[in-house]
Amino acid sequence: MIFKVIGDSHPESHHLGYVKYYPDARGDRSLFGRSYRQNSVVSKSFGILADRPECYVYSEMLGCVITGVPRSHVAHHYSARETLRALLVEPRDYENLSVGRDLLTIARHLDQRQQLDLFGITGSFLVGCANKRSDIDLVCYGKEGYRAARKLFGSSNLIQPYAGENQTLLYLRRAKYMEGSGFDTLLKQEQRKLQGLTTGSGAHINCEPLREDDAGPLHGLQAKEIGEITLLATVTDHSEGVSTPALYEINVERVLSATVDDPQTFASRVRYLRSYLGAYTGAFRSGDVVHVSGKLVHLLDGGKSSFGVELTPWSASRSYIADLTANVPVPQGIP
């Protein structure tokens, strides 16, 4: 099985992540001489790994049981950065795919500008199972990589933004993961991200900004799950939300529901919204009003203590979501 690694903090026993590709006769991907199926639902890993209890592990950074690979079981580690550079030397069969040619054109563009090492390739191109329906999933590293990616996605001769009728394509792509969000607000949220359509084949392309190694406020942060909560909140600081893992500072305006007793006692102490997946990276800005449904967690950072809402979807029972609202002012004085 091929796992997608999640987060930047892992226990000594496991690499934390979820199953991205797994053997299945009905799959449309070919790996290791077998048919493989792609998984895009994080919590589905629990079912895929039902007969592999050694792949269940408690994560101190998330405060719950998630899936992962025992370190002694790792057969190969795929490097996103090294693979992108290697494709320029040996394009494999990707020159025969229109989306593959788009990727190679973009890689050459970055190489000519001496920016290639700021980027990596993930998804099907990373593991060698891309087909004509594949997307291009890039990552960029650190602040310099983020600046280079912003410039890349502003190059109209390589990548076109979702506009006009193509906005419906973007909405349909994301709506299933962001239930309850309206067309205009979802597009506003999504168009803040680094994504678009390649000018060659019209394939979807996105780039997820990653933090530098051991950088950022989430490194070493521990969490304890204490329940679930749904609320309205105003984003007060988005500066640490532009990279994965994303951390937003929030002010809770109203608690709508919770599994804990007397949730209002937590409202003024819930200060953060965070996600270890890229779905919410760069999605919100200071001043946004956001509808949030996630895990209520107690956050511990050395001697500091606070509460937050965790959006990383490691739950088989429900989805955790954060949707931008229409920014209607929240009435003051409502408990």
Side-chain angles (χ1 to χ4, degrees), residues 5-9 61-62 208 218-222 244-246 274-279 281 310-314:
V5 178
I6 295 298
D8 54 2
S9 180
M61 72 175 183
L62 293 176
E208 182 179 348
L218 293 182
H219 188 74
L221 190 67
Q222 295 184 353
T244 304
R274 69 174 193 166
S275 176
Y276 280 86
L277 294 183
T281 298
E310 176 62 60
L311 293 171
T312 308
W314 243 282

Side-chain angles (χ1 to χ4, degrees), residues 157-170:
N157 61 320
L158 294 174
I159 301 170
Q160 298 285 349
Y162 278 98
E165 294 182 356
N166 286 330
Q167 291 183 99
T168 302
L169 297 177
L170 180 59

Side-chain angles (χ1 to χ4, degrees), residues 181-182 184-185 188 232 288-291 323-329:
S181 184
D184 291 336
T185 53
K188 181 179 180 180
L232 286 176
D288 285 345
V289 178
V290 185
H291 178 270
D323 291 329
L324 183 65
T325 71
N327 275 0
V328 177

Side-chain angles (χ1 to χ4, degrees), residues 184-195:
D184 291 336
T185 53
L186 187 146
L187 287 179
K188 181 179 180 180
Q189 180 173 331
E190 286 297 306
Q191 288 174 342
R192 291 168 168 173
K193 302 178 184 179
L194 297 169
Q195 59 185 341

Side-chain angles (χ1 to χ4, degrees), residues 139-150:
V139 290
C140 59
Y141 301 93
K143 294 181 179 179
E144 188 177 354
Y146 180 69
R147 287 192 291 268
R150 289 291 297 264

